[in-house]
Amino acid sequence: MSDTLDDAAKKLKNSQQDFNAKAETTGDHAEGKPSSETLNKAKEKVKDAFS
């Protein structure tokens, strides 16, 4: 049961990271800045690792 909860928590965290990365990338592109969704996702993962 706890494995299922852990998996659900990981999927939720991953979805939040994806959303935040996509939002940051979209915002950067709207401002005419170059941006990489992959790089932004990596930044989100690092932020979560240190929080």
Side-chain angles (χ1 to χ4, degrees):
M1 181 75 163
S2 69
D3 287 341
T4 305
L5 290 175
D6 289 342
D7 288 344
K10 287 178 185 179
K11 286 180 182 179
L12 177 61
K13 185 179 230 180
N14 196 19
S15 294
Q16 289 171 332
Q17 291 170 341
D18 286 342
F19 177 81
N20 291 341
K22 187 173 285 291
E24 185 175 347
T25 302
T26 301
D28 287 348
H29 288 175
E31 294 175 5
K33 297 178 188 174
S35 186
S36 165
E37 191 169 332
T38 304
L39 179 59
N40 289 335
K41 174 76 185 263
K43 289 178 188 176
E44 289 293 322
K45 285 184 174 279
V46 169
K47 284 180 199 173
D48 284 347
F50 287 107
S51 60

